[in-house]
Amino acid sequence: MVEITVLKRSRTEAALTQRKFFKKTAKGKVFKVLRERYLRDDVSCGIDGCKICHDTPLPSYGDKNHSSFPDGHFLLPDTNVFLSQMDLIESPLFGPPIILLQTVMEEVRHRSLPLYNRLKALTRMEDKKVWVFYNEFRSETAIVREEDETPNDRNDRGIRKATQWYAQHVALRSSSIRGQDQNSPTILLLTEDAANRFKAEKLGLSALSVRKYVEGMKDSPQLLDLLAAEGSDEIEPTRVATGRQVLYPEYLSTGILVAGVKAGSLHQGHFNANQYNYLEGNVSVPGFNKPILLIGRENMNRAVQGDVVVVEVFDEKEWKAPADEVVDQESTLKDDDAEESEGEGDAEKSGQLREKEAKMVKVEKIASLRSLERLPTGRIVGVIKRNWRAYVCHIESTSLTSSNSTSLSIQTVFATPVSRLLPRIRLRTRQAPTLLNQKILVTIDRWDATSRYPEGHFVRALGRAETKEAEQESLLLEFEVPYRPFGKAILDCLPQQGEQWVVPPKTESSKEWKDREDLRGLNICSIDPPGCQDIDDALHARVLPNGNVEAGVHIADVSHFVHPDTPMDNEAAARGTTVYLVDKRIDMLPALLGTNLCSLRPFVERLAFSAIWELSPEADIVNVRFTKSVIASKAAFTYEEAQIRKDDPHLQDDLTQSIRLLNTLAQKLKAKRMAAGALNLASPEVKIHLDSAESSDPIDVEQKEMRETNSLVEEFMLLANISVARKIEEVFPQTAVLRRHMPPPKTNFEKLQDLLEKRKGFKLDVSSSGVLAKSLDLCVDPDLPAFNTLVRIMATRCMLSAEYFCSGSVGKNTFGHYGLASSIYTHFTSPIRRYADVLAHRQLSAAIGYSPLHPSLHSKAHVERILEVVNKRHRLAQMASRASVEFYVGLALKARGERGGGTGVTEEAFVIRTFRNGIGIFVSKLGIEGLVTFKKDMLFDAENYTMTVAGMVISVFDKVVVRIEVEKDRNTHRGKVKMTLVSPIDSKGM
């Protein structure tokens, strides 16, 4: 009989192995949580050569390249080092071995989830030597919080305790292995907290600040530039530095802000900068139909694009209209000195600049009388959450005090972000001369009330400005597109057969064929843009014996290869979507899946998820079914090829008849949608002609041509998405992944309505989507065929953005898609390039009983978190794609201009906005917008949207001719599109 011994734990030991804390629910209820932790004595130190421990990835004596530690050393950073100096630690030049404590990881996770994700990625980098030491589970390093000890003090004590244990452990290891002939390496506590360093030194430990440590490194000049600006970046009430002029109002305390928002006296929202006027911004808040206008630096109070801010709204008699003048940051502040812009410099010069800006924000009497344009006006009184990140910038050459490339002296310079929505950033660097003419990455660290500009630090150089490589990487970074290569853990999730994987022969034992329909005999084809490699969808149609039509949409079965909660699934969820640039695609999934195994290429068998309808000849749905299937596409057409095939009367084969049948049904489906109130909106789309696939040099640009076959595919994708949405919401009413488009506030259309009525005499009725659609159809100018398209583009900009949502998170009456006039909608048809579609596939698979639903998709909170990321990625991907097109349009125009003798390109355009000193232009053929600015104010009629230039009246919606040139900015060295009027008047020199 086995003898069982029960060991009773002492009271002292119980206190050490139990973690007790209190948790507060959303409803305010407080309850105690008691967690058991099991302490052990075999948690490895991770240092090579240690006979006591196993798992030894760190070198035996650490790093011996530091001037202060010739015998070697290991770094043990505390939490604040990772919170403030992550750019330094991630740098390839920063190579000492790092001991990362569990305490530090948990505190970083609690303080900043984005930094925690970067920290986890750091532990997986092959060129970094990082060991995670679970100090909370090692018996010698575990501690408990003492009475009256703050959580921060408890963590600091735990870090010192672990440092002390490591120092003793390394000394013991060195003596047991080497004898006493060589000194043991130093365990260095790296901390910015002076009190923590003092306490560590009292214990006989080595401790340094980050700056002091970096100064002794081999590459210190470059590494010192990576240090975050000194000072706290926490959002607290402003502390005024003595001797400096205060330029901004103090922030209210967090407690007052929260109480004010709750009481309704203050309002919370995201700060949006004005792209035309750097001295204006606005904040959209739930309490007002219109955004709150912020005028002047003081009222914008150090907010940066995307910050979550709290605003105080002024009394209604103080409400103003937005300025009617273009105010450019670069030209207005070109004479400002980076060294003297911190409040302590030349008071006279600073006063002159403030006076200059004050004149620019002065609201004219006529503007105040424009009651239609008056907006709620206010000021920012606090920041809840900063949106600071790394920004793509250029060093302003005029801000350098020395351009000597060999100089290593520290200079304070201005870094101008590529985005016009961001302020200049003050930067202290030793590398300023070598960074000229380059695109660089800069992070904001702080913005004091005594500094006109935020302060930041240099992260890294991206390459020479205007080179395609540097521009492409800067674009990806600017829009936060994850573009790192797929790691080994992700690639290990792919089928082992690689490109040799095929659908196995049909047998009863084959798991691929289990419960799948064999649709290989159908005349299925795909219709996509030219060069499409990730073919998500294919279609078929055939007439049934009863006279009805069977139509099918077949979608790549991505969920067969991408399983829930795997490294590949987690990466796809983090990326959210594939990003399409002009000459590059940043895939959501590895290429083996996206362009091969999942892609519905012709003449090969592929796994699919099919939606098959029986439709009446009038395109009414008789029934619909969903099934996992195996298909073999008979052809892959471009839109143009499918159109030619459909229109050729000599072709009567089954595939051509299928396309014609699909087209007939699509026309009827579209007619039904339009009759139900769907909107036919527009967005400018252009096609870039590249020199060759290898060089990717743009040689020309033209408007995309839309064909019947474009609409054919669109209608059946919409039908599939709507049908799937109904099914998954019926089966999973609490967690269905859906997509909605909320009706826009009627106030969004006020400006467009006023414009159309005053300039063209058209009435725009926005009472419903159907009425709006009819109104847009009537906005036709016989003399200007492109006018209706322009109005639809402007109407699109008045809309709210569509978004993914979890069905159980909102009321059912808000499920609808305004633009499509559908009561319910989702995305199902593009799982290769959209993660939301992958989730919809999993839910539909469970809904038809093919496979069980993963527990995560039963959790409303989990679905909400995933969709929040997907919405953000989707929005940024669209912006990145547009920015890529704009860049290549600029290159194409430059090439076209050079072929024409360097005089630029002349194009017809529409006036879409008037200012006191310029007009906004839209060139429909190129899909670009620009400004024609004048050196002085012109006669301006804000009420009627006109301006008079040299006796010629120009108004919104007028057709003009502009000359477009791409010139190099002398300061930033980047290409800049410049527009001047050619007709009805030549504005050159005006």
Side-chain angles (χ1 to χ4, degrees):
M1 186 175 176
V2 178
E3 186 178 332
I4 299 174
T5 306
V6 177
L7 299 175
K8 190 171 181 182
R9 193 168 47 190
S10 67
R11 224 175 251 279
T12 311
E13 189 182 342
L16 191 62
T17 58
Q18 289 178 351
R19 296 188 69 181
K20 180 177 69 175
F21 58 92
F22 294 92
K23 196 171 183 179
K24 190 175 183 180
T25 66
K27 294 183 178 179
K29 186 180 178 182
V30 178
F31 61 95
K32 184 169 72 172
V33 178
L34 193 65
R35 285 187 184 159
E36 186 78 19
R37 65 172 171 178
Y38 296 93
L39 301 181
R40 4 180 353 149
D41 56 9
D42 60 348
V43 178
S44 176
C45 69
I47 299 174
D48 187 31
C50 182
K51 291 187 176 179
I52 307 167
C53 304
H54 308 289
D55 299 327
T56 55
L58 299 183
S60 181
Y61 275 81
D63 181 69
K64 293 188 175 185
N65 295 319
H66 198 283
S67 59
S68 301
F69 307 103
D71 295 321
H73 71 289
F74 298 90
L75 284 188
L76 199 152
D78 74 355
T79 307
N80 286 321
V81 172
F82 290 109
L83 290 174
S84 62
Q85 307 292 356
M86 188 65 85
D87 290 325
L88 169 75
I89 293 167
E90 288 175 334
S91 169
L93 298 176
F94 191 85
I98 295 171
I99 297 165
L100 176 58
L101 298 183
Q102 175 192 358
T103 301
V104 171
M105 283 199 79
E106 288 178 357
E107 196 173 3
V108 170
R109 183 179 185 179
H110 175 70
R111 299 274 294 277
S112 170
L113 198 55
L115 281 174
Y116 175 71
N117 290 330
R118 286 172 69 182
L119 185 55
K120 281 202 301 183
L122 186 78
T123 64
R124 297 191 292 266
M125 287 183 185
E126 293 179 3
D127 59 336
K128 294 288 182 184
K129 298 183 282 287
V130 181
W131 175 254
V132 180
F133 179 66
Y134 291 90
N135 61 305
E136 299 286 357
F137 295 122
R138 175 115 192 176
S139 54
E140 298 99 319
T141 56
I143 63 167
V144 290
R145 186 174 163 189
E146 295 175 349
E147 197 174 344
D148 298 328
E149 188 177 38
T150 66
N152 186 60
D153 289 343
R154 181 257 178 213
N155 290 338
D156 284 348
R157 184 164 59 85
I159 292 167
R160 291 194 299 273
K161 177 94 171 174
T163 308
Q164 189 176 30
W165 177 84
Y166 255 104
Q168 294 166 353
H169 185 78
V170 167
L172 182 65
R173 178 197 69 110
S174 299
S175 61
S176 65
I177 297 173
R178 310 279 185 187
Q180 299 297 327
D181 58 328
Q182 189 171 353
N183 293 327
S184 61
T186 302
I187 302 297
L188 178 65
L189 174 60
L190 205 61
T191 175
E192 300 286 56
D193 187 341
N196 200 16
R197 287 200 300 273
F198 176 74
K199 290 175 182 177
E201 287 163 0
K202 278 186 70 175
L203 293 171
L205 304 174
S206 297
L208 284 177
S209 68
V210 177
R211 179 171 292 277
K212 200 76 176 170
Y213 175 77
V214 171
E215 284 171 352
M217 295 186 74
K218 186 175 71 172
D219 297 306
S220 60
Q222 295 96 311
L223 290 171
L224 284 168
D225 278 358
L226 297 176
L227 293 184
E230 293 177 359
S232 172
D233 60 357
E234 293 179 7
I235 301 160
E236 292 293 338
T238 308
R239 293 175 177 81
V240 179
T242 54
R244 294 183 181 180
Q245 185 181 4
V246 178
L247 303 175
Y248 298 99
E250 295 183 8
Y251 288 150
L252 300 179
S253 68
T254 305
I256 294 175
L257 295 176
V258 172
V261 171
K262 196 171 183 180
S265 58
L266 301 175
H267 303 271
Q268 181 177 316
H270 287 86
F271 173 74
N272 298 298
N274 185 329
Q275 64 173 327
Y276 297 112
N277 183 347
Y278 80 98
L279 294 172
E280 269 189 13
N282 66 68
V283 179
S284 295
V285 300
F288 289 85
N289 289 330
K290 294 183 177 182
I292 296 169
L293 180 65
L294 309 168
I295 301 175
R297 280 184 182 276
E298 290 80 6
N299 290 333
M300 291 193 288
N301 200 3
R302 295 168 283 158
V304 171
Q305 176 73 13
D307 282 354
V308 179
V309 299
V310 175
V311 293
E312 174 190 29
V313 179
F314 299 149
D315 191 87
E316 192 168 345
K317 62 177 181 290
E318 295 182 57
W319 291 7
K320 309 293 183 186
D324 45 32
E325 189 169 2
V326 178
V327 182
D328 181 58
Q329 181 176 217
E330 284 184 30
S331 57
T332 306
L333 303 174
K334 61 185 177 183
D335 297 325
D336 201 9
D337 190 331
E339 293 281 5
E340 296 177 350
S341 60
E342 203 183 354
E344 76 274 20
D346 187 336
E348 184 181 346
K349 193 171 182 180
S350 178
Q352 288 172 353
L353 183 60
R354 293 183 75 182
E355 190 177 328
K356 184 179 180 182
E357 289 185 337
K359 284 181 182 177
M360 290 179 173
V361 300
K362 182 180 68 175
V363 181
E364 302 288 346
K365 289 181 181 179
I366 188 170
S368 300
L369 293 171
R370 282 183 280 146
S371 57
L372 180 69
E373 290 197 29
R374 285 181 73 227
L375 297 173
T377 308
R379 67 187 183 103
I380 290 174
V381 294
V383 179
I384 298 294
K385 185 181 180 184
R386 288 291 191 191
N387 190 42
W388 294 349
R389 56 179 177 82
Y391 300 105
V392 180
C393 302
H394 303 268
I395 295 289
E396 291 189 19
S397 58
T398 54
S399 65
L400 266 69
T401 53
S402 169
S403 57
N404 183 352
S405 60
T406 60
S407 171
L408 289 177
S409 60
I410 297 179
Q411 296 189 55
T412 302
V413 296
F414 284 131
T416 301
V418 170
S419 172
R420 295 171 61 90
L421 302 175
L422 298 166
R424 300 160 126 188
I425 303 169
R426 289 175 79 243
L427 189 68
R428 290 174 64 80
T429 175
R430 291 168 169 79
Q431 304 176 67
T434 59
L435 296 177
L436 282 177
N437 308 334
Q438 294 206 52
K439 287 208 160 184
I440 63 171
L441 212 54
V442 174
T443 296
I444 294 178
D445 298 318
R446 60 192 290 214
W447 196 345
D448 293 336
T450 55
S451 177
R452 190 176 295 119
Y453 306 101
E455 294 178 55
H457 68 270
F458 166 76
V459 178
R460 65 185 174 96
L462 303 176
R464 191 167 183 81
E466 287 197 289
T467 60
K468 282 203 294 292
E469 295 76 15
E471 294 292 343
Q472 194 173 74
E473 187 177 10
S474 69
L475 187 149
L476 296 173
L477 289 165
E478 189 63 28
F479 296 104
E480 303 176 61
V481 176
Y483 62 101
R484 59 190 175 274
F486 291 103
K488 184 179 181 299
I490 296 164
L491 298 177
D492 286 345
C493 297
L494 296 169
Q496 291 182 352
Q497 302 95 317
E499 293 187 358
Q500 275 66 52
W501 183 93
V502 292
V503 176
K506 186 177 181 181
T507 61
E508 289 187 8
S509 60
S510 172
K511 65 177 182 180
E512 278 84 1
W513 279 94
K514 184 177 181 295
D515 296 332
R516 284 186 186 270
E517 280 195 41
D518 187 349
L519 304 180
R520 293 175 295 178
L522 294 177
N523 286 312
I524 295 171
C525 67
S526 61
I527 306 174
D528 291 286
C532 180
Q533 293 178 305
D534 49 346
I535 303 173
D536 286 289
D537 54 86
L539 307 101
H540 89 275
R542 60 180 178 178
V543 178
L544 297 173
N546 64 1
N548 287 339
V549 179
E550 179 188 272
V553 168
H554 312 277
I555 307 300
D557 190 5
V558 173
S559 59
H560 175 82
F561 297 95
V562 183
H563 302 292
D565 205 20
T566 60
M568 184 156 63
D569 182 53
N570 294 335
E571 180 68 15
R575 294 189 178 214
T577 181
T578 292
V579 181
Y580 292 90
L581 308 181
V582 169
D583 67 337
K584 190 175 183 178
R585 189 183 65 240
I586 313 298
D587 290 320
M588 181 184 82
L589 295 171
L592 177 65
L593 292 185
T595 61
N596 190 343
L597 305 189
C598 289
S599 184
L600 304 181
R601 301 192 298 186
F603 317 120
V604 290
E605 295 175 0
R606 287 288 180 252
L607 303 180
F609 208 152
S610 301
I612 301 172
W613 299 267
E614 182 181 342
L615 301 170
S616 72
E618 294 306 309
D620 293 316
I621 298 174
V622 177
N623 61 61
V624 60
R625 63 190 177 88
F626 307 100
T627 179
K628 294 270 186 160
S629 61
V630 177
I631 68 167
S633 174
K634 302 299 185 286
F637 298 116
T638 65
Y639 291 120
E640 184 179 12
E641 289 167 348
Q643 187 70 42
I644 292 169
R645 195 179 187 96
K646 181 195 82 69
D647 294 339
D648 189 343
H650 300 100
L651 292 175
Q652 298 298 329
D653 58 278
D654 290 343
L655 205 53
T656 304
Q657 296 285 23
S658 177
I659 293 172
R660 288 175 183 148
L661 193 52
L662 286 165
N663 189 62
T664 302
L665 291 168
Q667 290 172 338
K668 292 174 180 177
L669 288 168
K670 185 171 184 178
K672 290 176 187 290
R673 281 199 308 109
M674 292 302 163
L679 293 171
N680 184 15
L681 298 172
S683 60
E685 289 197 55
V686 296
K687 181 180 180 182
I688 310 289
H689 292 281
L690 301 177
D691 188 16
S692 69
E694 289 76 28
S695 73
S696 72
D697 290 324
I699 55 173
D700 211 346
V701 58
E702 66 176 1
Q703 227 172 346
K704 275 187 181 177
E705 185 181 350
M706 302 303 287
R707 298 178 172 84
E708 273 186 310
T709 46
N710 291 79
S711 181
L712 181 162
V713 174
E714 180 185 8
E715 289 304 319
F716 276 98
M717 296 308 112
L718 293 176
L719 183 64
N721 289 334
I722 292 168
S723 299
V724 170
R726 290 190 178 124
K727 182 67 176 178
I728 61 176
E729 196 276 330
E730 176 190 316
V731 180
F732 304 109
Q734 287 300 304
T735 58
V737 173
L738 302 177
R739 186 167 175 82
R740 66 177 179 174
H741 182 209
M742 296 290 285
K746 291 181 174 56
T747 52
N748 285 19
F749 288 94
E750 285 180 354
K751 181 83 173 278
L752 181 58
Q753 287 173 307
D754 195 51
L755 270 169
L756 286 168
E757 187 172 357
K758 287 179 177 175
R759 300 312 318 158
K760 293 291 185 179
F762 294 130
K763 294 272 188 184
L764 192 67
D765 190 340
V766 297
S767 54
S768 71
S769 62
V771 173
L772 174 59
K774 290 174 183 174
S775 289
L776 289 171
D777 289 340
L778 297 174
C779 293
V780 177
D781 187 333
D783 300 325
L784 299 171
F787 171 71
N788 185 259
T789 303
L790 174 66
V791 173
R792 291 180 190 278
I793 289 170
M794 295 174 79
T796 303
R797 295 176 181 181
C798 299
M799 301 286 175
L800 300 175
S801 297
E803 62 178 2
Y804 298 106
F805 70 99
C806 177
S807 59
S809 303
V810 301
K812 200 162 185 174
N813 61 330
T814 66
F815 279 16
H817 196 293
Y818 179 80
L820 298 174
S822 176
S823 59
I824 194 166
Y825 192 66
T826 191
H827 271 165
F828 165 77
T829 55
S830 296
I832 293 176
R833 60 186 178 89
R834 292 189 304 229
Y835 189 71
D837 300 52
V838 176
L839 299 180
H841 273 234
R842 289 172 183 162
Q843 291 184 331
L844 183 62
S845 180
I848 64 174
Y850 181 85
S851 61
L853 188 64
H854 190 266
S856 64
L857 287 179
H858 283 297
S859 165
K860 190 165 73 172
H862 176 80
V863 174
E864 285 172 349
R865 279 197 304 273
I866 292 291
L867 294 184
E868 185 181 355
V869 174
V870 171
N871 278 323
K872 178 185 174 184
R873 293 294 183 206
H874 185 78
R875 185 174 64 254
L876 290 171
Q878 289 180 318
M879 293 164 69
S881 297
R882 284 196 291 267
S884 176
V885 170
E886 286 174 12
F887 172 66
Y888 271 87
V889 166
L891 291 182
L893 292 177
K894 189 176 180 182
R896 195 198 289 182
E898 288 169 354
R899 291 197 301 272
T903 56
V905 177
T906 302
E907 291 286 356
E908 290 184 337
F910 282 101
V911 177
I912 57 170
R913 191 166 178 178
T914 52
F915 298 96
R916 193 172 296 279
N917 60 340
I919 53 175
I921 295 292
F922 176 68
V923 186
S924 56
K925 186 177 176 183
L926 304 176
I928 60 171
E929 287 182 39
L931 280 171
V932 174
T933 55
F934 307 107
K935 293 175 183 175
K936 59 181 181 180
D937 291 356
M938 300 293 173
L939 186 60
F940 176 63
D941 183 354
E943 283 288 313
N944 293 300
Y945 308 102
T946 67
M947 70 182 311
T948 305
V949 183
M952 180 68 69
V953 177
I954 299 174
S955 63
V956 172
F957 296 135
D958 280 0
K959 196 171 186 179
V960 296
V961 178
V962 293
R963 182 180 293 107
I964 308 168
E965 298 170 280
V966 180
E967 60 178 23
K968 192 171 184 177
D969 189 289
R970 284 180 297 177
N971 187 27
T972 62
H973 298 273
R974 68 175 184 257
K976 192 176 180 181
V977 172
K978 181 185 177 184
M979 292 188 184
T980 52
L981 278 179
V982 175
S983 172
I985 191 167
D986 193 336
S987 68
K988 197 169 185 179
M990 295 181 70

